[in-house]
Amino acid sequence: MKNKFSFLFFRSIGSRIALIIICVGIIPFLVCVPISLRAFESVSIHTDATNLMAQAISYNNQIVTSGYVTGEKNEVLDTEFKAIADSYNGRILIINSSLKIVRDSFSVDVGKTVIWENIIYSMQGESLYYYDRLTNYLIVSVPLTNSEGDTVGVLVINKSMDYLKQNEDVFVSYMMIMVVLIISITIVVAVVSGIRLSRPMKKMSNSLDSIIREHDTVLPEVKSYIEMENIATKFNEVIGKLHAIDESRQEFVSNVSHELKTPLTSMKVLADSLNGSEDVPIEMYKEFMLDIGAEIDRETKIINDLLSLVRMDKSGAVLNITAVNINELIEHILKRLKPIAEKADIEVVFESFRPIVAEVDEVKFTLVVTNLVENAIKYNNEGGWVHITLNSDHQFFYIKVEDNGLGIPEDSVDFIFDRFYRADKSHSREIGGTGLGLAITKSSIAMHNGDIKVHSKLGEGSTFDVRIPLNYIEKEA
Ligand code: ADP
């Protein structure tokens, strides 16, 4: 449980941002402290060494001309050097050209030979310094030269750098105060920013919870970062779409049940009235049975249409694509529909501009032509006409179904492809439509990657334009 909590804590954006701020704020500071300490130390050593060298050089003439470097006695210099050495808490040595100590402010090593790299270099004319970190001493060696410029000895000054340590300690304690201050400020800034940054996300997550529990239907406007606002807007769009799908599903289910119940109710009424009356004449029985038969046909048609639609609606619905002679197929369909047209005295004319063979699913494509021509006959006036034209270019074939029938009201045109939609409900029922024909037609055309458009004028007629690719191109999953 504890592990899970700490894992979640590190995955939270707020704590991550807080950690980033802490790292960005503190790490550079922690790196800077030792670096500046080193810089402070080397600057101090270099300054001290330069000063000591200048001081040593200022004694050069006195030491050389007085013969102090060759061992001549000089009490003034002795006292002066002793005082300097004491003030530095250090030591002054004078070494002659044979690398022998001729003067020592401690007076303990006179006569001893010194073999040290820096002394040898100074004997060759170089002024050098060395800081001994172990003993905390700065050792400066400066060549002593005579008037001809020859090195006749070396002056060595040791200076205790304890003061540096003390300064460093003060520096470090100031730094520590600053570190503590900066760390505290950074932590406060980090925690506050972490909380502030993650607050809108928490708000959004709570709103989502409320949507899941169905207390809310949309995300409230989250005024924070643009990204969050965009997510909220997009999310509301998705919710809107889901609601629309849900509503259309509910509407579809209620329409289906209503449509399926209507013929059953009629049959029940017809059957009940026959059962409820005595001595019913045989003619009346026959008439009622004819009506019941008609209702059964209607129910069958609705069920068949629904099945066609469901089959096409399935996302994995497969098309059985073959090369189909479209001219022959249309002629065949028209032959089947001619008796219905003749009954209403409607003239059906088919005009083809060229022979066309296209890759289509014959069964599903037949539904397209059948529904369009059937509608053009159904929603027509006695003595009307239906013109079907077929044409193609190098990419598509085009079918136009035109009639001079009832036409569609302007405010209904946008809905005629919806399931169960009927422009003129009372009339449609009389005509015998299910309101599914055009929905089936549209699905089938979409499956063939085609397109359908309608132009209609109430009282003048309608034109349906269909465009389908000659060669079927399978859509990528
Ligand atoms: P239906 O089974 O009612 O014919 P459709 O989906 O085929 O269902 O058509 C939907 C509605 O569109 C019809 O009820 C009708 O009002 C209108 N409609 C379709 N085709 C035509 C047409 N050629 N002329 C006039 N109205 C039409």
Side-chain angles (χ1 to χ4, degrees):
M1 182 70 193
K2 198 176 166 239
N3 262 352
K4 199 177 169 195
F5 174 76
S6 49
F7 179 65
L8 285 178
F9 174 79
F10 283 109
R11 283 184 57 200
S12 136
I13 188 161
S15 23
R16 283 204 185 176
I17 285 168
L19 279 177
I20 290 170
I21 295 177
I22 290 174
C23 293
V24 170
I26 294 173
I27 292 176
F29 198 77
L30 292 180
V31 173
C32 281
V33 171
I35 291 176
S36 24
L37 207 63
R38 256 303 142 84
F40 169 75
E41 187 189 86
S42 69
V43 167
S44 305
I45 290 169
H46 185 76
T47 315
D48 269 16
T50 318
N51 288 341
L52 286 181
M53 281 174 187
Q55 197 176 16
I57 289 164
S58 73
Y59 280 104
N60 181 72
N61 281 353
Q62 244 182 303
I63 296 170
V64 176
T65 51
S66 66
Y68 199 65
V69 69
T70 51
E72 294 285 328
K73 278 212 171 295
N74 188 328
E75 279 189 10
V76 180
L77 281 179
D78 279 346
T79 336
E80 227 170 289
F81 285 154
K82 179 111 182 56
I84 293 170
D86 286 348
S87 74
Y88 291 154
N89 203 9
R91 186 178 188 182
I92 293 182
L93 297 172
I94 297 195
I95 295 154
N96 68 13
S97 53
S98 329
L99 301 179
K100 273 216 164 78
I101 298 173
V102 288
R103 283 286 181 268
D104 176 5
S105 60
F106 283 1
S107 318
V108 288
D109 287 330
V110 175
K112 285 187 184 163
T113 305
V114 186
I115 299 174
W116 181 44
E117 199 184 5
N118 277 25
I119 304 288
I120 292 162
Y121 280 126
S122 290
M123 213 47 101
Q124 286 159 11
E126 271 186 66
S127 295
L128 299 165
Y129 71 86
Y130 168 74
Y131 176 60
D132 189 345
R133 233 168 249 291
L134 225 62
T135 57
N136 212 17
Y137 268 91
L138 173 66
I139 308 156
V140 169
S141 55
V142 176
L144 296 165
T145 50
N146 60 18
S147 50
E148 280 87 43
D150 299 325
T151 307
V152 290
V154 175
L155 173 60
V156 179
I157 305 175
N158 284 14
K159 183 185 176 185
S160 162
M161 296 298 277
D162 281 345
Y163 86 96
L164 190 66
K165 251 284 60 26
Q166 285 154 13
N167 285 357
E168 272 179 14
D169 287 347
V170 175
F171 182 82
V172 167
S173 52
Y174 275 118
M175 283 292 187
M176 282 323 287
I177 294 171
M178 275 176 73
V179 166
V180 171
L181 250 166
I182 286 179
I183 289 179
S184 320
I185 292 170
T186 313
I187 288 175
V188 171
V189 169
V191 171
V192 171
S193 330
I195 292 171
R196 279 182 68 96
L197 280 166
S198 59
R199 194 177 291 154
M201 292 180 200
K202 278 210 179 100
K203 236 175 162 179
M204 189 183 265
S205 162
N206 291 341
S207 308
L208 287 174
D209 270 347
S210 161
I211 289 171
I212 291 166
R213 284 195 221 100
E214 296 185 6
H215 298 317
D216 265 325
T217 48
V218 286
L219 271 185
E221 214 174 296
V222 186
K223 276 261 168 267
S224 59
Y225 321 108
I226 294 175
E227 291 82 356
M228 293 285 296
E229 281 175 32
N230 284 345
I231 290 175
T233 316
K234 294 270 176 318
F235 192 82
N236 280 336
E237 276 174 30
V238 172
I239 295 178
K241 276 195 180 156
L242 289 177
H243 277 303
I245 291 172
D246 196 42
E247 265 169 31
S248 94
R249 187 182 55 84
Q250 280 177 13
E251 198 185 303
F252 181 65
V253 171
S254 84
N255 282 341
V256 167
S257 17
H258 173 77
E259 293 300 327
L260 290 176
K261 260 163 87 182
T262 315
L264 288 177
T265 316
S266 304
M267 283 188 267
K268 173 94 174 118
V269 171
L270 290 166
D272 281 354
S273 60
L274 282 183
N275 288 333
S277 358
E278 296 205 357
D279 301 328
V280 182
I282 186 87
E283 292 75 27
M284 197 170 157
Y285 253 111
K286 274 190 178 163
E287 193 192 325
F288 276 33
M289 287 316 276
L290 275 176
D291 288 346
I292 291 176
E295 292 299 338
I296 291 172
D297 285 347
R298 184 167 160 68
E299 184 92 34
T300 312
K301 182 155 174 44
I302 296 173
I303 291 170
N304 284 340
D305 278 359
L306 271 172
L307 286 176
S308 305
L309 198 64
V310 168
R311 259 183 239 123
M312 264 182 260
D313 260 8
K314 269 199 244 159
S315 51
V318 246
L319 284 178
N320 181 17
I321 300 290
T322 48
V324 175
N325 185 323
I326 305 293
N327 304 62
E328 275 178 17
L329 184 73
I330 294 179
E331 270 162 21
H332 183 73
I333 295 167
L334 296 184
K335 209 166 158 192
R336 216 162 24 85
L337 295 176
K338 267 228 163 95
I340 312 171
E342 276 164 8
K343 234 187 197 171
D345 191 22
I346 289 163
E347 184 195 28
V348 177
V349 181
F350 173 45
E351 188 182 6
S352 168
F353 286 88
R354 65 197 82 233
I356 295 165
V357 175
E359 290 174 359
V360 293
D361 179 314
E362 194 171 333
V363 176
K364 293 188 175 84
F365 178 70
T366 303
L367 287 175
V368 173
V369 182
T370 309
N371 282 330
L372 291 177
V373 178
E374 223 173 38
N375 280 351
I377 298 169
K378 271 196 310 190
Y379 302 104
N380 215 321
N381 304 303
E382 244 190 83
W385 52 256
V386 176
H387 287 172
I388 300 116
T389 41
L390 175 66
N391 204 349
S392 74
D393 56 22
H394 62 287
Q395 222 182 337
F396 299 95
F397 68 95
Y398 305 86
I399 299 173
K400 183 188 280 202
V401 181
E402 209 176 348
D403 66 66
N404 66 338
L406 307 178
I408 305 163
E410 214 180 310
D411 54 355
S412 295
V413 174
D414 288 343
F415 306 104
I416 55 167
F417 295 103
D418 292 355
R419 296 155 180 187
F420 294 114
Y421 186 84
R422 286 174 207 151
D424 176 359
K425 291 182 179 63
S426 51
H427 209 133
S428 292
R429 175 143 182 80
E430 197 182 290
I431 290 169
T434 61
L436 292 172
L438 285 182
I440 295 169
T441 302
K442 192 169 181 177
S443 292
S444 172
I445 292 171
M447 286 176 89
H448 286 89
N449 304 321
D451 217 348
I452 181 163
K453 284 197 177 85
V454 58
H455 303 279
S456 186
K457 204 147 195 211
L458 197 61
E460 287 184 20
S462 315
T463 307
F464 286 84
D465 284 299
V466 176
R467 186 185 80 165
I468 293 177
L470 286 166
N471 298 309
Y472 177 73
I473 302 158
E474 206 162 337
K475 275 190 194 152
E476 275 179 40

